[in-house]
Amino acid sequence: MKRKNHHPQGRATGAEGIVSTGRDAEVSKLLWKDEDRPFARIDVSRTRRRGFPEAIYCPGKTPEQVVSILLAQHESGATPVLATRADLAMLKYVLPRVPGSYYLKQGHLIVLGEGAAPLHGGTIHVISAGTADIPVAEEVAAVAELLGNAVERTWDVGVAGLHRLLDRIEHIRKANVLVVVAGMEGALASVVSGLTHQVVIAVPTSIGYGASFEGLSALLSMLNSCSPGVATVNIDNGFGAACLASMINRSMAVR
Amino acid sequence: MKRKNHHPQGRATGAEGIVSTGRDAEVSKLLWKDEDRPFARIDVSRTRRRGFPEAIYCPGKTPEQVVSILLAQHESGATPVLATRADLAMLKYVLPRVPGSYYLKQGHLIVLGEGAAPLHGGTIHVISAGTADIPVAEEVAAVAELLGNAVERTWDVGVAGLHRLLDRIEHIRKANVLVVVAGMEGALASVVSGLTHQVVIAVPTSIGYGASFEGLSALLSMLNSCSPGVATVNIDNGFGAACLASMINRSMAVR
Amino acid sequence: MKRKNHHPQGRATGAEGIVSTGRDAEVSKLLWKDEDRPFARIDVSRTRRRGFPEAIYCPGKTPEQVVSILLAQHESGATPVLATRADLAMLKYVLPRVPGSYYLKQGHLIVLGEGAAPLHGGTIHVISAGTADIPVAEEVAAVAELLGNAVERTWDVGVAGLHRLLDRIEHIRKANVLVVVAGMEGALASVVSGLTHQVVIAVPTSIGYGASFEGLSALLSMLNSCSPGVATVNIDNGFGAACLASMINRSMAVR
Amino acid sequence: MKRKNHHPQGRATGAEGIVSTGRDAEVSKLLWKDEDRPFARIDVSRTRRRGFPEAIYCPGKTPEQVVSILLAQHESGATPVLATRADLAMLKYVLPRVPGSYYLKQGHLIVLGEGAAPLHGGTIHVISAGTADIPVAEEVAAVAELLGNAVERTWDVGVAGLHRLLDRIEHIRKANVLVVVAGMEGALASVVSGLTHQVVIAVPTSIGYGASFEGLSALLSMLNSCSPGVATVNIDNGFGAACLASMINRSMAVR
Amino acid sequence: MKRKNHHPQGRATGAEGIVSTGRDAEVSKLLWKDEDRPFARIDVSRTRRRGFPEAIYCPGKTPEQVVSILLAQHESGATPVLATRADLAMLKYVLPRVPGSYYLKQGHLIVLGEGAAPLHGGTIHVISAGTADIPVAEEVAAVAELLGNAVERTWDVGVAGLHRLLDRIEHIRKANVLVVVAGMEGALASVVSGLTHQVVIAVPTSIGYGASFEGLSALLSMLNSCSPGVATVNIDNGFGAACLASMINRSMAVR
Amino acid sequence: MKRKNHHPQGRATGAEGIVSTGRDAEVSKLLWKDEDRPFARIDVSRTRRRGFPEAIYCPGKTPEQVVSILLAQHESGATPVLATRADLAMLKYVLPRVPGSYYLKQGHLIVLGEGAAPLHGGTIHVISAGTADIPVAEEVAAVAELLGNAVERTWDVGVAGLHRLLDRIEHIRKANVLVVVAGMEGALASVVSGLTHQVVIAVPTSIGYGASFEGLSALLSMLNSCSPGVATVNIDNGFGAACLASMINRSMAVR
Amino acid sequence: MKRKNHHPQGRATGAEGIVSTGRDAEVSKLLWKDEDRPFARIDVSRTRRRGFPEAIYCPGKTPEQVVSILLAQHESGATPVLATRADLAMLKYVLPRVPGSYYLKQGHLIVLGEGAAPLHGGTIHVISAGTADIPVAEEVAAVAELLGNAVERTWDVGVAGLHRLLDRIEHIRKANVLVVVAGMEGALASVVSGLTHQVVIAVPTSIGYGASFEGLSALLSMLNSCSPGVATVNIDNGFGAACLASMINRSMAVR
Amino acid sequence: MKRKNHHPQGRATGAEGIVSTGRDAEVSKLLWKDEDRPFARIDVSRTRRRGFPEAIYCPGKTPEQVVSILLAQHESGATPVLATRADLAMLKYVLPRVPGSYYLKQGHLIVLGEGAAPLHGGTIHVISAGTADIPVAEEVAAVAELLGNAVERTWDVGVAGLHRLLDRIEHIRKANVLVVVAGMEGALASVVSGLTHQVVIAVPTSIGYGASFEGLSALLSMLNSCSPGVATVNIDNGFGAACLASMINRSMAVR
């Protein structure tokens, strides 16, 4: 991972990747390939700005790129560095080449570095409608834990057997933030929201078939919830839900 | 409403409109316009074949056509004859010209003739998620009553306040058939189905905005229900739901 | 499949999974993984509440999960326990590990336990438009039989050769409930409904290509049927159609 | 309707609008507005090339433009000149300003000039599923008649009462070409095609509601017909269907 | 607004509308029409459960219903009671009949009763991309203020002139929660999220034309934001965004 | 392929599969599996009724079923019997088991039996926009030839190089019927129609990427053609286009 | 249109609306309503940055807002200031209140101030497929002229009569940039691109019906053009096409 | 690759493939298979007419066809000849059979022949939002370079870390044309356009998941850009973007 100082497309080394969009100078770090142009610009100031570092979305990236970015982020001090949706081939290539990295199977996450310091106070409660939604729900839970949150999990409480949810509802009401993960008709988000006082972050999943149209049905349900206070993220976007939940939980915890 | 006997496109009067698709001869009755060709073929044997007469779907028909079809069906012995989704202009034209007809405002129905003989035994319970769903829910209820069924109504028990439904659930469990009418995310169909032992006929409504896409969200929710035993009809199709519910209720009642 | 009694997320063993949503206490049974949290909550009272036990939808579940749930449901007294849409890998893993389980090839079903007691009286008649629709149609038929219904099958009577249907129509009219399974333009549901007096449960299939959009064309056809009395389920949802048909048939038979 | 000879954007008068795309010179005639540029280029050789003249699709055109184009086409010898989908305002403006023009109410057509010479031999049979489909079906029939074809009409034979169609089927089999006009689920096209030996031109209509999505359901049904030999045109495109039917009928008749 | 005690569909007055879904008894209050059945069930315990009272979504409800629900909620102690998306006819009917009610023109809100007690501490900053997005943005701001929040507004800082946003960014960074309201391509949500440390609640609007498909373009943009920490609500759903923002702001303020 | 005479679901052998839907008795022939119910009903009278025999659409059928149906159709006298869209596995299974069958690689067709007797007179001209559209175009051409038509082929004359089409246009104008096969934007159908006097049968293909949405773009183009006289079939439906073209060509040829 | 200096949401007057995103300071000017917050931020440096001033998209803005923005932009020195898609009510309110403003009927534009200085050299040639596309095509032409370009217009050369285009093609080849405006199937863009050497800016219009889905068909056609060198803008986006064409033409002319 | 002179479908050799659509004779060259009909018509005059030769889109073509077309185009003098989207199997077949051909891995391009002569003057600057968008962005860059343009690349400057873009913006402003390549929400196109004075060619990519619907989200964003001057091409259409950029750059450079 060399770095070329004199390429016409680049800038002087010292000045590279520093710009101000307000109070502080924002920094980026360039990763070079073939000595001539950077294929990635690490957003070094992301943690300071957003509260968590950049994550690496694996699909569409080469294993070499993932390795480079993991190492560069780690060098920049970001921690934990996460690579999401890593498949088996990615996993086999990356782990041996990135010392200290490990794999969280449930959430399909490659992790490098320490998790964030634990927050004091509240928990994030992640709730899944079905057993098949667990991989996405675990992505939520694992990322939230790595960002320092205490996490509770309640799996398989879909509305076809509502007593399973009611059985847990008092416990669920104790959390700071709720994340509901559901495929098919996605009704669980509205039902949980109607029974509780917290923000509900709704994650539609692609579980289903036919007219679920790979998650569209659950997505529309959540966007159209008759219970105000439901915030929706993209289909299967466990990572994004975890960031949102962590931001809310952190804002409640830090004082 | 004359009838032309010798048009080359027609058939001999006696034989017209009679054909066998099985055991019995099926009969249709032609309505003629301008002396030369029929604009409608009344399905005279519909009640015998399906258990209820043809209904007249008003949109796209002229008021003159609606009057003619109402009168002709009545002459053929069908009762009650229903014209659905009649707007104000239709209403004002039709009622004075069709003796004995009246209007059911809640269900937007023009009715001619006696309702069907009352069934003994069970009830159909119609449940609406919101107050804005009542017009469709009333179309279900009114048509079901005209077809001879006892009907119960429970309005405004959407999942945003689940206790409203649970408060009624014992009563709802006593019916023979359930019809759930809901717009927005349509979650109520799954929830009711999960709590009861009956067939749930689900009617998505076009109530909602934005990503409800005029009922698509509720429709997809109902089709993807995680609780088996939910039968879906078209968006806002109160009439069809009432026919289905009545067919099931009737089959349980007649023995 | 151990069970952890003292986890903070759980509840005391005796009280676990019991809640009332009305007259009776509803019971669920938790399946634990890794000693710390349940990945499934078996809805033990489903049969009492809905009339048939939970089925296990295989896609998205691990083979280990499917084995656990099959065994747990069986222990809870549910019978028959069904796992739907099992592919070959699932099959090879599950059958040797679940004593007494067997495979119904036509319907892609893993079955454990006795079928429901036979109903007296009517039959469910399952009708497919084409030979390629048979796998879904067989899922309907097999599940309905396991739920205790007598089932008739009429395959390959699509509307391109209408006489094939008319040839069978007298026989079809003898059933209690009809299920029509069709892909492509799905016209068969309307045609059958127009010729008979029964409820028609319509199952669109994903058979087709191009503008069938994997079953959308047939689904829309069935929802828009000009013949009232057609109840639609999700694309390829043979299991759901069988449950609906069985609920209706049972309600007619028990008296 | 002046004509400007010397505008820099134009060409010399004699040479204007003549080009060869093969054997013959194709001619167009320019309509000028405000002395400076043409707003329309009448395709004078359309009848020679396609067998029927350009029709004027009214929506989106000003009444002044429709009058100009009608007159110009008539001067060029085209007959009959048709303006389709004329609403009331268009009608009131155009008829008094175009001597000899008249209105065909059923098909929403403004007509100028003689119909084409009658063809000898076969007929086009236009079949509508419902009474509400008649306006589109009449557009088919009226245009086909103006193009010189003998036309038969069979209205209101939707599949909900199949005997109505079977009652007419022997007569329908005598035509040269069939046109099926249907909204809602559009099943009639497949059914007619399966029962006859002719080409079926299928016209989906926007009649329906909810999941008919303004004709999409019928359109998809017709495109996915399980009976080969169904040719589909755009939703509500009665004019296009008439042209197709006339081209086929003409090719059979001229020999 | 009478109340019927002895209707067979109802329950004894004292017991009506009270059920427990956990710790506390949830209460609903029935509104009766025509002495025989309730058209609405006021969710009396909503404020206690969710932190804000039910709002009345006007479209699809009759003016009489809106008046009844406003009065009944007010009697139950809910405050402020809001009726959203009231058009002119609704306004003219409701205001004279509901003493103390008034209209917030910018947000299309009818308000009855005091706003919630002011929160201490942070603000909600509402940001609109264009001037045409202001009505939705004002719905956010007005509802948030009525729920007790301090609100800042920054209008017309769309990404076509990015300096307008950068000019305000230091000020925006001081808020507790951000709400971004944008139509067309909806890019502003991602850009604001990338520049700040707060949760961004993204409200797509139906402003746009052509391939904006009435807000779909902005909705998809927000769901696919490359910057984690964006929570999306339905198109034009200013009310829902305000509730979410208020829940987050409140949780940060109360300690 | 045994045949069971006494199954309760069947009918007496002699009477099986014969029904009248008009002038003639229509015949079907049942194929039995496992001695108890037929998986296919061969439409023996298809050729007499439609002019060409049933074709076997391979996807979704088992190789065993395809073999059985091929043999049964052949026994019934249908010729040529075609199985469309046969993949390699199907091919390898079927050919050795069906004596006399062969494979037309270009059109992915398995053929059994003689082609239809050659028609006298006109040709069908098949035109493809690109080289990648040839497989579908060859399906058109091969089926049309097997149905007895003389066929001309013009490949790779897409509108990006219009002179390639103009170079052939005089020759194209000599055919009886035109079939245009195009993916991507599908503009070729309108252009050919505008230049010629024949019916244009338009076949959209799934060739393209991105916003072609697997043929949707070409399909919509063809349905919206500004040139009347374009008849559209399903995406990639070469077989259907060939049947249509053959029906038209035959009707012109037989006199 | 007062201006408030001391509002807490604002900034000091001198510093307001100035920020650097590179070389130069970008300036915005705030429009205040009700003394307390700005409803618009005029992008004063737009012309310097993009080459043309901000245009005011009227739909969704109040007439008062349009007047304020027109006047403020004019004061800031922008010229010409354009308000697009002004309907009659907007027109009647705005013109009397904005001295010097006038209306270009063809393009639905309100104009204030001088057009840009004429460019030397090339022309932009705007081509419409049909007469009904002229309003959008005139928006292109009028805006391009106001931005200083010489514009040629060729209307009504749709591909149904290709000779009309070929007749003009030599003239069209002389322009610097081409803009093709077409609804329905939008084939003209590909055809023009295939015949010329220039960039083709393609504007789909909402002209059409049924499966044109309000411009979707033409939009997809243009995006999928088989001829490289076609750049697509939003449906009916005449303004955007004019800006693009002007940017290209200007870059060719200034040297 | 023989050539057949006397086939009835062909024309005399000398006259083949030459037609005039204006000033010059356009030439095409036929590639023959099996001695009897051409499978491709090389558009020999493409470079003269459009400024760049035909490219070969590999998907859907056989390797044999790709080899033939590459060789034939090269013989005709076109250079460079490009085959786009070549997968590994294509690559392995083609390279050994086409002397002088080579592979550009980044852009998935097979290249034969010299690149175009370098242009003098400006550059095309290609900008990608993410690392995963690089393959499409490299297709843009590589094709543009082969067409003679100087190209700059800036990768990974998505709006989640806006300073990365601002850091490069002065450099970006020096180019003649900008190409923005982005998946997910595609916001980068609007942001770049708002900050610069050049035409922005926007290339949506299929990078993303869930509600990105394989590039639809980015495509709609770019079409709805609030910043005029954005020209959109098909999803992942790097080749088309390069041609557009080159046409604009060339027109600025040649003078």
Side-chain angles (χ1 to χ4, degrees), chain D residues 61-75:
Chain D
K61 293 198 179 70
T62 64
E64 295 82 354
Q65 290 172 337
V66 171
V67 166
S68 295
I69 302 175
L70 275 168
L71 292 172
Q73 289 198 331
H74 196 230
E75 279 172 29

Side-chain angles (χ1 to χ4, degrees), chain F residues 101-161:
Chain F
S101 67
Y102 61 99
Y103 188 59
L104 285 179
K105 187 187 171 190
Q106 280 280 28
H108 300 292
L109 290 163
I110 297 172
V111 186
L112 177 61
E114 297 290 302
L119 297 169
H120 295 291
T123 62
I124 295 169
H125 202 127
V126 186
I127 304 163
S128 88
T131 299
D133 300 312
I134 292 181
V136 174
E138 275 291 346
E139 191 186 64
V140 180
V143 172
E145 285 173 340
L146 286 163
L147 296 177
N149 302 278
V151 174
E152 298 248 8
R153 291 158 171 89
T154 296
W155 296 169
D156 198 21
V157 291
V159 299

